[in-house]
């Protein structure tokens, strides 16, 4: 971007002046390292077009990086009203490029946040990170063009689940639903010390690119039911674990071309889709 922003105080100074002590109840772990916030922003690719959505900007460290990396229009959704004054100062430094929405991201569909192409970039609040992702996956299932990419910081153990392959201990319902709809990869890991205050465990930045078409056809609600049943009792064979969704799981599996004695973690995304189609 050609515009040179007005000088901003160091982020630590912004946090101090606005009294933004981190609150655990809001999952607040702030990023102050400019190299790291710049790297996260660049992972999202070209930020100049459409809308860059940031969930939970907090004092605005990552927001600064998004703007400095050329984001033309950032919409930042923040639940903590204490952060709004600091974000207003940032908006003044980048006139017309940062819009802050005070509110709960769990109640804000991506489709309501600016024109496409949209990309979501966020250091997510850990306590609601999987709930947010589940909402966004439901939106992507309805419209894969709702976001062109999502670059999201998760706890590493959640990130590992999102990209897990069949036959591994991390493979579960969230792996199937994520990989059904997106190409998912871990971009890089982030040590605890990078955050203020540091969380208990390592984090990972994940890049999710919604696929133009899901990996295989299936109704989202039926696929959710099948995966929930199968993984709720992941040690049982499918002929047992699928009883909550089918009166005759053995016949269901056979009709879908799946071994009824297999366990949930052995099935590929495509095989879960086959089960969902047969059930329907
Ligand atoms: N982006 C900042 C950074 O990287 O330093 C802060 C990230 S901090 C991990 C998570 C942020 O999400 C906090 O600012 C918190 O107030 C905000 N937050 C928590 N729950 C939220 C919700 N339901 N909707 C919107 N923001 C939320």
């Amino acid at each position: 971007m050609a515009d040179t922003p007005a000088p901003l105080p160091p982020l630590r100074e912004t946090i101090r002046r606005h009294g933004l002590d981190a609150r655990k109840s809001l999952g607040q772990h702030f990023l102050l390292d400019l190299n790291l916030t710049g790297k996260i922003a660049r992972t999202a690719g070209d930020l100049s077009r459409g809308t860059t959505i940031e969930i939970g900007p907090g004092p605005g460290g990552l927001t600064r990086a998004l703007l400095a990396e050329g984001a033309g229009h950032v919409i930042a959704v923040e639940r903590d009203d204490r952060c709004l004054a600091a974000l207003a100062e940032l908006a003044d430094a980048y006139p017309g490029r940062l819009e802050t929405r005070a509110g709960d991201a769990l109640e804000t569909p991506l489709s309501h946040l600016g024109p496409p192409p949209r990309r979501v970039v966020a250091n997510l609040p850990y306590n609601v990170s999987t709930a947010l992702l589940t909402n966004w996956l439901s939106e992507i299932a309805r419209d894969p063009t709702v976001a062109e990419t999502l670059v999201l910081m998760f706890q590493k153990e959640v990130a590992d689940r999102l990209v897990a392959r069949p036959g591994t201990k991390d493979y579960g319902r969230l792996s199937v639903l994520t990989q059904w709809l997106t190409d998912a990869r871990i971009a890089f890991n982030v040590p605890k010390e990078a955050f203020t205050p540091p969380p208990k465990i390592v984090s990972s930045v994940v890049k999710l690119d919604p696929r133009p078409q899901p990996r295989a056809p299936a109704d989202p609600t039926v696929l959710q039911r099948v995966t929930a049943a199968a993984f709720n009792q992941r040690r049982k064979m499918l002929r047992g674990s699928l009883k909550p969704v089918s009166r005759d799981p053995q016949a269901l599996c056979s009709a879908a071309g799946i071994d009824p004695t297999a366990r949930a973690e052995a099935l590929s995304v495509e095989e879960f889709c086959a089960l969902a189609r047969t059930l329907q």
Side-chain angles (χ1 to χ4, degrees):
M1 283 280 147
D3 301 349
T4 308
L8 285 161
L11 200 57
R12 275 186 199 283
E13 166 63 18
T14 301
I15 291 172
R16 192 196 55 76
R17 201 157 34 83
H18 293 280
L20 301 179
D21 52 300
R23 296 211 170 141
K24 211 172 171 183
S25 59
L26 287 166
Q28 292 182 336
H29 297 278
F30 301 136
L31 291 174
L32 310 184
D33 177 343
L34 298 182
N35 289 325
L36 181 58
T37 50
K39 189 172 172 186
I40 297 171
R42 286 190 295 279
T43 303
D46 179 8
L47 304 175
S48 62
R49 302 161 300 118
T51 312
T52 303
I53 298 168
E54 188 189 357
I55 302 304
L62 180 56
T63 326
R64 290 184 185 202
L66 293 169
L67 292 161
E69 291 293 335
H73 183 207
V74 177
I75 300 185
V77 183
E78 177 54 64
R79 200 177 154 191
D80 183 356
D81 289 348
R82 296 179 310 153
C83 300
L84 300 181
L87 294 166
E89 284 173 10
L90 188 51
D92 288 344
Y94 289 90
R97 290 172 55 193
L98 171 61
E99 192 184 323
T100 303
R101 304 262 178 103
D104 185 345
L106 283 168
E107 290 168 10
T108 315
L110 297 179
S111 59
H112 292 193
L113 296 173
R118 302 183 192 90
R119 57 208 79 77
V120 184
V121 186
N123 170 18
L124 291 177
Y126 288 150
N127 39 354
V128 289
S129 64
T130 52
L132 286 165
L133 178 63
T134 305
N135 283 357
W136 296 334
L137 290 174
S138 299
E139 269 198 90
I140 292 167
R142 289 193 295 275
D143 173 12
T145 68
V146 74
E148 66 174 13
T149 191
L150 299 92
V151 173
L152 307 171
M153 179 91 73
F154 289 96
Q155 290 173 302
K156 184 171 182 301
E157 61 187 37
V158 177
D160 287 343
R161 280 163 50 204
L162 301 184
V163 303
R165 313 306 304 173
T168 64
K169 70 169 176 29
D170 290 329
Y171 187 64
R173 190 167 165 246
L174 209 50
S175 328
V176 175
L177 297 176
T178 301
Q179 294 170 39
W180 178 49
L181 296 168
T182 74
D183 291 324
R185 69 177 172 90
I186 293 185
F188 52 92
N189 293 329
V190 181
K192 305 179 240 188
E193 304 74 46
F195 300 85
T196 304
K200 287 204 179 74
I201 52 170
V202 177
S203 299
S204 302
V205 172
V206 177
K207 190 166 190 308
L208 305 174
D209 295 330
R211 300 166 58 88
Q213 304 277 344
R215 213 166 276 278
D219 177 86
T221 313
V222 181
L223 184 61
Q224 300 233 15
R225 282 175 48 219
V226 170
T227 50
F231 284 106
N232 274 350
Q233 303 192 64
R234 59 186 293 146
R235 302 218 168 278
K236 279 198 182 168
M237 295 177 191
L238 294 168
R239 66 181 180 206
S241 63
L242 291 180
K243 276 185 186 153
V245 294
S246 165
R247 244 177 289 158
D248 190 347
Q250 178 106 16
L252 169 69
C253 289
S254 301
I258 310 262
D259 175 3
T261 66
R263 293 177 173 79
E265 69 177 35
L267 261 56
S268 66
V269 172
E270 289 81 356
E271 287 172 319
F272 274 111
C273 291
L275 273 177
R277 289 196 302 275
T278 310
L279 186 63
Q280 203 174 4

